[in-house]
Amino acid sequence: MFVSVDMEGVSGLTDPEEMRAPGRGYERGCELMTADANAAVRAAYDAGADTVVVTDAHGMGRNLRADLIDRRCTLVRGPYKPMRMAEGLDASFDVALYVGYHARAGTPRGVLNHTWMGREIHNVYLNGEVAGEIRLMAAYAGTLGVPVGLVAGDQAACDEAREVLGDVATVAVKKGSDRYAAELVPPARAQEMIYEGTRRALADPARWRGCTVPAPYTLGIEWSSTAIAQSCAVIPGVKQAGPRVTEFTTSDYAEIVGLLGVCATIGGEIGCTGLHYD
């Protein structure tokens, strides 16, 4: 069983400062992220899983507490993982679970909504359709023949998951009133909900949902900056499709996921220089 854990959709968190070091509340955010992950891992083992691989899918991948994670799982952690949010996933897994996920950029009342990067990217498109991280990761799992069994996060993320995957099991741990404000389920109860939701989902494989995207795959990224778009267009195979838009087409979806990571590295370097740019 594969569990990908992001942070913006974790129970109890609403503030960008809680998402990154050394922000106020970040260390506590890491504990809450690990507790949400553990709820899903414990449910997976209680449902009969032999192996559970958990990947830290947020930022630089240094958020899940290795000293607090369920000792039975395998933890994939650290920066610059080739498959980023999907590192560790392959065709041998029966099902993928997404915990702590959030809605795509621009989603009304989506808590901490964004796609891949919060400031540098306006929108991402997959084969011409707007795509958030749920669609992007579910599509990668789909190319491997791995269905999605559960998505846990804020209410907008759960709505997006059903839009992408149909009647997939979801657990909403908060409901956004704005991008940085939400009605929260207290974490202790939210983690019980994740556990129970995961147990029910794993007991009902008929509700697991695959995401099928036809090849070839075209990834379009609408950047906030002409400088980022121009720099990413230097990557072989990437073309500039507008002043702030890049596109890349391939028959191997793993290249889509890998390219997102490379572009994010470039975008982060340019966006964080402190310079003013268009």
Side-chain angles (χ1 to χ4, degrees):
M1 206 159 296
F2 177 77
V3 186
S4 176
V5 189
D6 204 353
M7 198 169 189
E8 286 85 359
V10 162
S11 63
L13 303 182
T14 60
D15 191 328
E17 287 293 300
E18 297 167 329
M19 303 295 128
R20 56 179 180 263
R24 182 177 181 273
Y26 169 71
E27 294 299 333
R28 177 59 178 154
C30 291
E31 293 174 2
L32 291 170
M33 181 183 181
T34 308
D36 280 15
N38 280 341
V41 172
R42 182 165 58 91
Y45 280 114
D46 287 352
D50 295 321
T51 302
V52 179
V53 173
V54 179
T55 194
D56 188 325
H58 178 71
M60 298 297 284
R62 298 183 293 215
N63 314 284
L64 287 172
R65 288 278 300 270
D67 58 328
L68 298 178
I69 199 75
D70 192 303
R71 62 184 294 175
R72 296 168 291 180
C73 76
T74 298
L75 175 62
V76 179
R77 190 177 186 275
Y80 307 118
K81 301 183 291 290
M83 292 293 102
R84 303 298 171 118
M85 300 179 77
E87 184 71 17
L89 178 64
D90 60 38
S92 70
F93 287 88
D94 294 322
V95 66
L97 312 176
Y98 299 137
V99 176
Y101 270 57
H102 55 83
R104 63 179 177 256
T107 301
R109 295 183 174 84
V111 182
L112 298 160
N113 69 80
H114 67 281
T115 302
W116 213 259
M117 304 184 78
R119 181 178 65 177
E120 292 83 358
I121 293 177
H122 283 312
N123 269 311
V124 172
Y125 299 87
L126 180 60
N127 288 7
E129 291 188 47
V130 66
E133 292 167 28
I134 294 171
R135 182 184 293 275
L136 291 165
M137 292 300 100
Y140 178 57
T143 66
L144 299 171
V146 180
V148 177
L150 175 92
V151 176
D154 70 303
Q155 183 63 59
C158 293
D159 293 343
E160 184 175 322
R162 288 189 291 270
E163 174 189 319
V164 171
L165 295 163
D167 187 29
V168 69
T170 60
V171 176
V173 300
K174 51 193 171 187
K175 181 179 180 181
S177 53
D178 197 358
R179 194 182 189 197
Y180 304 125
E183 299 172 8
L184 302 174
V185 176
R189 180 153 53 92
Q191 288 145 22
E192 292 174 356
M193 291 164 57
I194 293 169
Y195 173 84
E196 294 298 338
T198 303
R199 279 294 303 268
R200 288 193 298 271
L202 297 180
D204 189 11
R207 284 194 67 188
W208 299 356
R209 294 290 182 264
C211 181
T212 303
V213 178
Y217 313 106
T218 296
L219 178 73
I221 304 178
E222 180 187 0
W223 299 95
S224 63
S225 164
T226 56
I228 298 175
Q230 186 170 328
S231 295
C232 289
V234 173
I235 300 170
V238 177
K239 67 178 182 179
Q240 202 162 349
R244 303 185 188 201
V245 179
T246 56
E247 285 188 353
F248 175 74
T249 299
T250 178
S251 58
D252 182 354
Y253 196 92
E255 293 183 353
I256 294 287
V257 181
L259 180 70
L260 277 164
V262 172
C263 286
T265 300
I266 294 171
E269 286 297 314
I270 295 172
C272 295
T273 58
L275 300 174
H276 295 291
Y277 57 83
D278 293 332

